[in-house]
């Protein structure tokens, strides 16, 4: 069994009467890049804040590098990097001042050369004040600050939100560079599924506070399938098939989203349902995610009148 | 090595299959010859900005297909074509893939003969490219 670097058990958070995170049981093995995905308001930021001990859970617990989140010691915190949503940095400071400030938290392992190289690579100058920087430049500074202490575990909350394609790619490169070093782990939330697909080898899907999937990206890609059964007469209202997530019916077809159903089962079921033909439709990760987190029986947004 | 690989996240094909397919094609075209060394997993991962495990997975897929051999400690090498073996299932998969092209050809109004001609010309071009490289 690989070492577990991030672990939550029944992690739960209510804000008043609203349930934001619902009994989250998540385990993250050492050495992976895990994409944490969910729709807006699914509970990603709250879950991340709970993990870092920035919010107190209503129930349950979480541990980073074996240490409970509410009791992270400075020694453990030094081994963890955190990039906040929106890259909030002290606006009145220059990059050099911010570096000095940040370095104080990581006295032993701050890599001056790495930081200087990154700032140069981004065509920035250490004299520049944060308030004069664009969103993209602030993101670059925040990436350099997070990577310079060479953290063992880096947690990033939607780090590429609102960034252009080139700067997003730099972030992804940063993650790959970090993971190449021995014993490093990355956990990042994102809305950009193509970024997740590019760099992640694991995926955790959260939906309305509930963890719906936590597996290798490849397993997820294989598990979620769209299957269409065709019938000569009218399609049955529903069919009983293992792993059925939801089902849409048109006159002569049944379109189903299945999770974890193997090909033999699908073939058997098509036969016993009386379908004349069935096909497994390939899906990309984004389609899989949308289908996986869509409420069953969702309506189309608009229904054009037929002429 | 003139090997360039294009990654398209968001495609229906998982990234590791995209990598494996493009290397397979380079081998078929003899752009990668028997005995050539593939880039190290970590190097290719950094270049393509993809997870190193994805590259490793692509390499092991190529190895299962008998296209490359991994020698512990020294790297992954393109296998000797004589040692590659296709079983009935492989040939069946190939035949099924041809169906798409055949139906396109028929839908364009081509006759079976015309489609065979197109196939033939294309194969000659493919093999021609690989022979040129060998010389």
């Amino acid at each position: 069994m690989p070492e577990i670097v991030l672990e939550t058990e029944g992690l739960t958070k209510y804000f008043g009467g609203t349930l934001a995170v619902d009994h989250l049981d998540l385990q993250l093995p050492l050495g992976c890049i895990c994409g944490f995905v969910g729709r807006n308001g699914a509970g990603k930021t709250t879950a991340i804040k709970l993990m870092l001990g920035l919010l107190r859970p209503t129930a349950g617990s979480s541990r980073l590098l074996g240490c409970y989140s509410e009791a992270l010691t400075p020694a453990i915190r030094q081994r963890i990097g955190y990039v906040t949503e929106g890259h909030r940095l002290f606006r009145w400071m220059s990059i050099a001042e911010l570096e000095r400030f940040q370095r104080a938290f990581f006295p032993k392992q701050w890599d001056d050369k790495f930081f200087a190289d990154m700032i140069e690579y981004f065509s920035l100058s250490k004299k520049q004040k944060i308030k004069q920087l664009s969103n993209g430049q602030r993101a670059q500074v925040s990436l350099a600050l997070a990577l310079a202490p060479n953290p063992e575990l880096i947690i990033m909350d939607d780090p590429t939100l609102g960034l252009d394609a080139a700067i997003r790619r730099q972030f992804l490169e940063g993650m790959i560079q970090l993971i190449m070093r021995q014993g490093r782990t990355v956990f990042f939330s994102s809305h950009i599924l193509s970024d997740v697909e590019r760099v992640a080898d694991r995926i955790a899907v959260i939906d309305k506070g509930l963890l719906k999937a936590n597996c290798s990206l490849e397993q997820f890609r294989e598990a979620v399938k769209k299957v269409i059964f065709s019938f000569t007469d009218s399609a049955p209202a529903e069919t009983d098939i293992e792993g059925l997530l939801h089902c849409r019916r048109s006159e002569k077809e049944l379109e189903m989203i299945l999770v974890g159903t193997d090909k033999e089962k699908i073939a058997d079921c098509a036969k016993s349902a009386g379908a004349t033909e069935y096909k497994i439709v390939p899906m990309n990760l984004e389609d899989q995610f949308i289908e996986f987190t869509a409420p069953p029986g969702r309506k189309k947004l608009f229904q054009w009148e037929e002429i | 090595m003139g090997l360039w690989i294009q990654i398209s996240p968001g495609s229906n094909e998982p990234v590791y299959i995209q990598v494996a397919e493009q290397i397979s094609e380079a081998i078929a075209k003899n752009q990668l010859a028997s005995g050539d060394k593939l880039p190290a997993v970590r190097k290719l991962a950094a270049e393509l900005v993809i997870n190193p495990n994805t590259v490793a997975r692509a390499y092991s897929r190529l190895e299962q297909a008998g296209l490359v051999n991994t020698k512990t400690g020294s790297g992954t090498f393109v296998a000797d074509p004589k040692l590659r073996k296709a079983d009935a299932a492989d040939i069946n998969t190939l035949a099924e893939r041809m169906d798409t092209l055949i139906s396109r050809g028929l839908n364009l109004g081509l006759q079976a003969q015309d489609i065979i001609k197109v196939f033939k010309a294309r194969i000659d071009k493919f093999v021609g490219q690989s022979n040129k490289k060998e010389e």
Side-chain angles (χ1 to χ4, degrees), chain A residues 130-149:
Chain A
I130 300 302
K131 63 182 170 202
Q132 295 160 344
L133 303 180
S134 69
N135 275 341
Q137 289 171 322
R138 268 193 291 137
Q140 290 171 322
V141 172
S142 135
L143 179 67
L145 288 169
L147 295 181

Side-chain angles (χ1 to χ4, degrees), chain A residues 218-239:
Chain A
E218 209 184 299
Q219 275 173 313
F220 186 80
R221 295 287 276 123
E222 251 164 49
V224 183
K225 290 192 186 87
K226 182 191 276 188
V227 177
I228 298 175
F229 285 5
S230 310
F231 299 86
T232 34
D233 304 321
S234 71
E238 219 170 75
T239 173

Side-chain angles (χ1 to χ4, degrees), chain A residues 180 197-199 201 218 284, chain B residues 10 42 48-49 51 53 57:
Chain A
M180 296 284 201
E197 187 170 25
R198 194 174 250 286
V199 300
D201 53 355
E218 209 184 299
N284 66 19
Chain B
R42 295 156 63 89
L48 300 177
V49 192
N51 195 293
N53 286 331
R57 173 102 181 117

